[in-house]
Amino acid sequence: MPSLSVYWNRCEGDTWGELYAVDLNDPHFDRLEGVYMVWLGGGKPTMICAGAGVIRDELIRRQNDPAITAMRDKPMLVSWAKVDAVSRPGVERWLLENLRPLIAQPVPGSVAVEVNLPGHPGQAQANTAAPPRQIFEDLTRATPAPSAVRASGSKTFEQLAAPSATMRASSIDTETRRLPLQPLLLEIVKKHTEAPKSNGGFFGGGSKPKVDDEQLVIDVVQMVLREAAKLKASDVHMEPIDHYLRIRFRVDGILEEVLHVPNGMNLRIVSHVRVMCGLDPEHGIGTSHPEDGRMFFMQDGMDADLRLSTFPTSYGDKAVLRLIPRSTKLPDIKDIGLPPGTLDDLFQLISRTQGMFIVTGPTGCGKSTTLYTILQSLNSPMRNIVTLEDPIEKKIPGINQGMIQPKANFGFAEGLRAILRQDPNVIMVGEIRDLETAEIAVSASLTGHMIFTTLHTNSAVGAITRLFDMGVEPFLIASALTAVSAQRLVRRICPSCIQPHQATPAEASEIESRAERAGIATPKSLLSNLKHGTGCSACRRTGYQGRTILFEYLPITPGMRQMIIKKSSMEDLRSAALREGMEPLVSEGFRKANEGITSIAEVFRIVDAAD
Ligand SMILES: [Zn+2]
């Protein structure tokens, strides 16, 4: 029998364990006997023979077997289980049922698989002497790449056990290799592989090195959270997919794939995150309903609240962690990117003793940050500022922040009534969702209070028509409203790789048609001033770093007031607003593209063509 370099997999329960490179000539195999099966791999794996005995003897005896000779150069998988004669039929059935879906992809040229069956841990223990050397190579991929293993056929065990750079590289697919966190995962795995094992070896106790495994999972989760914090990600997505766990970050509003965690560790990662957030770990696989949890995370000078939500998918729980940094300082209202004229005007209006200011925009457009900076700028010992939020995203000293509890019948309407008994000057209501809340807010603003709130509409004038639709009397809206705004966040071009951008003919005509539809003039030299980021290491090849605000601001002038009382249509309100000097979102976008702050592609992406 020629020296065979083989991969060796052990299973626990119904999960695949790590894949190890072992030498079939290792003394371990001298007396390893039990049930075996030889599989013809490839796209449709089929079992070609099965039997019982000493695996090495069996392979030698069968090497001239026509069935094996016929597949000499084809993918082959040997399944191996150490069981007693009574259990054999059941084991064979189990192997058939359980291995079939797992080897749907092409399998390596020559592989031996040891299976520790559920409820039969450590069956192989009696047969072992020194444990074979092992590698955790599979932590970088789902299945060994056929090329890597086929090439290893003539290699010695030593070469396999200490994989060369080329073998390592060939076993990681190109897509996985480009993921930014993949090298960090390899480092962690390497550290754990090099650490001495304390449980007496690979086959001891029939189980994997438990303590190290747990520490490995903890280290990987810590690494992911640390990197998320470093990149200022707002969300971390952990998604079980067929044969790996996909980890994505949302950075500057865009989802980026950052890491693939191979099978064997994927569900334990989600399970560990569940435990961290106070949920039951046992439900880490296959829960039947979504759950929420939270935790506080502190590392490397970053402290953040983490909100976990899970969602059962066909491959297990998908986890999304929202990161809410505690320590980041709220920016000054002067620094959030408002045009200077708008800023002066806005500040004058919000400093009044009564009125109502509504910020609109889709989820994640920074409405809360805008309101927080406004409240912070109004914050003084002479004002009683009270908020009603869902949830409280940022704590501001000196402001009384409350959170609604819908389960306890403490919604926006009830809360607002309670606040009005608290002698407030300034009130912030997280969102107006119904007529009741809208009416209380409107009447509060008419009785000596300044109200700040948000509405889910696309444009500033949309807030007015939304209030009409809710059923608020137009004359009440006209008297209560001070100003409305709409906003979006656009990514800033990366300062390290910014370059002039020659607009494509399609972009040029898009600029023209959008300007025409919005009834605005484009900045004179817009086409010659466009810039974009070419992508560099500072911006992870995205061409962007950080975000800035596009702000559409509409003060309610006497003219606008008349239009509201007449319950004018959206179109008429919009035309009137433009006549009064409102700069719509798209015009703000063109201005920031003209100044080289953002790219024209980003403006098109963020500002809806209908706006
Ligand atoms: Zn860059």
Side-chain angles (χ1 to χ4, degrees):
M1 184 94 183
S3 168
L4 251 187
S5 291
V6 296
Y7 277 85
W8 185 267
N9 197 334
R10 48 199 285 125
C11 295
E12 265 193 291
D14 54 357
T15 62
W16 284 101
E18 291 80 7
L19 201 63
Y20 306 96
V22 296
D23 185 359
L24 205 57
N25 283 326
D26 189 275
H28 167 72
F29 292 94
D30 285 353
R31 283 168 298 131
L32 185 63
E33 51 182 327
V35 174
Y36 67 86
M37 274 184 225
V38 178
W39 298 76
L40 179 63
K44 284 186 180 163
T46 42
M47 190 182 75
I48 57 164
C49 60
V54 178
I55 185 168
R56 191 160 54 199
D57 294 349
E58 287 294 304
L59 287 178
I60 291 169
R61 188 171 65 77
R62 282 190 175 273
Q63 63 184 334
N64 295 323
D65 188 318
I68 295 209
T69 334
M71 50 179 278
R72 176 147 286 154
D73 294 310
K74 291 178 184 156
M76 186 175 100
L77 177 78
V78 181
S79 312
W80 188 259
K82 174 82 174 84
V83 289
D84 58 32
V86 181
S87 314
R88 185 178 155 178
V91 168
E92 284 181 353
R93 199 173 55 246
W94 187 90
L95 285 172
L96 270 171
E97 287 168 4
N98 289 278
L99 290 182
R100 195 178 289 277
L102 291 170
I103 52 176
Q105 289 133 339
V107 292
S110 172
V111 171
V113 174
E114 180 192 50
V115 180
N116 278 346
L117 295 167
H120 296 267
Q123 291 282 3
Q125 189 176 13
N127 301 298
T128 185
R133 299 268 300 273
Q134 54 187 273
I135 54 171
F136 282 77
E137 190 61 33
D138 94 313
L139 281 169
T140 61
R141 57 179 150 66
T143 52
S147 59
V149 181
R150 227 173 270 131
S152 74
S154 57
K155 281 183 181 168
T156 64
F157 163 65
E158 289 302 322
Q159 283 171 309
L160 254 188
S164 64
T166 48
M167 169 172 170
R168 193 175 280 271
S170 67
S171 64
I172 307 171
D173 63 55
T174 328
E175 202 208 355
T176 299
R177 245 183 303 159
R178 71 171 169 78
L179 298 175
L181 266 54
Q182 216 68 30
L184 298 174
L185 176 71
L186 269 178
E187 245 169 61
I188 293 175
V189 169
K190 200 165 156 235
K191 194 183 91 196
H192 282 266
T193 318
E194 282 164 1
K197 298 280 183 285
S198 57
N199 67 347
F202 176 39
F203 291 98
S207 61
K208 289 169 283 188
K210 285 263 185 242
V211 175
D212 286 354
D213 257 19
E214 257 165 50
Q215 194 55 47
L216 185 64
V217 170
I218 292 169
D219 286 359
V220 172
V221 171
Q222 295 284 321
M223 178 271 284
V224 167
L225 293 180
R226 197 173 53 236
E227 293 304 308
K230 227 189 265 173
L231 293 176
K232 300 195 171 68
S234 59
D235 303 83
V236 175
H237 293 237
M238 299 177 165
E239 303 157 299
I241 290 180
D242 193 8
H243 51 280
Y244 60 94
L245 182 76
R246 173 167 76 171
I247 299 194
R248 295 191 287 176
F249 289 170
R250 189 177 291 281
V251 183
D252 292 341
I254 305 280
L255 268 182
E256 289 174 33
E257 198 161 12
V258 295
L259 179 66
H260 286 176
V261 181
N263 221 344
M265 240 168 102
N266 55 4
L267 295 172
R268 284 182 289 167
I269 300 264
V270 175
S271 186
H272 179 66
V273 170
R274 289 178 58 96
V275 175
M276 286 166 76
C277 293
L279 300 182
D280 189 343
E282 295 304 317
H283 296 162
I285 303 165
T287 52
S288 56
H289 62 281
E291 285 180 273
D292 296 320
R294 59 177 59 199
M295 68 166 288
F296 177 63
F297 176 77
M298 193 154 76
Q299 199 183 7
D300 297 343
M302 171 254 188
D303 54 340
D305 286 307
L306 298 189
R307 292 220 177 81
L308 168 72
S309 75
T310 69
F311 183 79
T313 72
S314 54
Y315 294 115
D317 278 357
K318 169 182 166 129
V320 178
L321 276 167
R322 168 148 288 195
L323 272 72
I324 304 164
R326 283 189 174 181
S327 46
T328 46
K329 218 173 142 266
L330 204 55
D332 192 276
I333 190 165
K334 291 190 197 78
D335 301 327
I336 60 173
L338 301 181
T342 305
L343 183 66
D344 294 342
D345 198 8
L346 175 72
F347 203 76
Q348 206 205 341
L349 288 188
I350 61 175
S351 312
R352 294 183 183 174
T353 52
Q354 75 171 55
M356 186 172 184
F357 178 57
I358 303 178
V359 183
T360 73
T363 306
C365 71
K367 295 191 291 283
S368 315
T369 304
T370 301
L371 287 184
Y372 280 140
T373 58
I374 288 175
L375 292 187
Q376 185 176 252
S377 69
L378 296 177
N379 194 2
S380 90
M382 291 163 60
R383 285 193 179 98
N384 177 17
I385 305 177
V386 190
T387 75
L388 197 54
E389 306 175 48
D390 180 27
I392 296 170
E393 288 176 35
K394 188 116 216 126
K395 290 188 181 132
I396 311 174
I399 290 179
N400 308 289
Q401 293 172 274
M403 187 161 86
I404 63 160
Q405 318 265 354
K407 279 181 197 157
N409 249 342
F410 178 38
F412 282 120
E414 296 79 15
L416 198 43
R417 269 192 219 101
I419 288 175
L420 288 170
R421 295 190 291 268
Q422 290 270 313
D423 185 26
N425 298 106
V426 174
I427 304 169
M428 193 261 264
V429 183
E431 191 187 335
I432 288 183
R433 294 175 187 162
D434 52 54
L435 176 63
E436 196 185 3
T437 313
E439 283 179 338
I440 305 170
V442 164
S443 83
S445 80
L446 293 171
T447 52
H449 308 96
M450 188 66 208
I451 309 282
F452 295 93
T453 189
T454 72
L455 268 173
H456 265 280
T457 64
N458 283 336
S459 63
V461 291
I464 299 168
T465 53
R466 173 64 55 83
L467 292 174
F468 290 160
D469 295 344
M470 278 183 178
V472 186
E473 289 295 337
F475 76 92
L476 285 178
I477 302 173
S479 338
L481 265 192
T482 306
V484 282
S485 71
Q487 69 177 59
R488 301 287 188 278
L489 291 175
V490 289
R491 290 179 293 168
R492 287 172 171 272
I493 298 173
C494 167
S496 307
C497 60
I498 188 165
Q499 292 290 333
H501 172 69
Q502 176 66 48
T504 64
E507 285 172 334
S509 80
E510 175 89 20
I511 290 174
E512 211 174 292
S513 83
R514 286 203 185 209
E516 201 184 307
R517 249 178 300 167
I520 55 157
T522 52
K524 247 184 265 159
S525 46
L526 177 62
L527 285 182
S528 51
N529 281 348
L530 293 178
K531 304 262 193 319
H532 77 291
T534 51
C536 65
S537 57
C539 58
R540 301 175 322 290
R541 317 256 149 235
T542 60
Y544 297 97
Q545 263 196 70
R547 287 189 288 181
T548 187
I549 200 172
L550 297 185
F551 201 69
E552 175 179 291
Y553 178 65
L554 174 62
I556 306 300
T557 55
M560 284 308 294
R561 202 154 275 140
Q562 287 310 312
M563 299 290 292
I564 296 173
I565 291 173
K566 282 192 283 181
K567 207 177 175 180
S568 304
S569 68
M570 176 91 98
E571 291 70 33
D572 291 349
L573 285 169
R574 187 182 163 82
S575 310
L578 291 175
R579 277 198 308 275
E580 300 267 345
M582 179 184 81
E583 265 211 69
L585 284 171
V586 65
S587 131
E588 259 274 281
F590 287 163
R591 194 172 59 78
K592 286 204 158 130
N594 188 48
E595 287 168 13
I597 297 170
T598 190
S599 71
I600 195 70
E602 181 71 356
V603 174
F604 291 159
R605 184 179 76 83
I606 290 293
V607 182
D608 197 86
D611 290 342

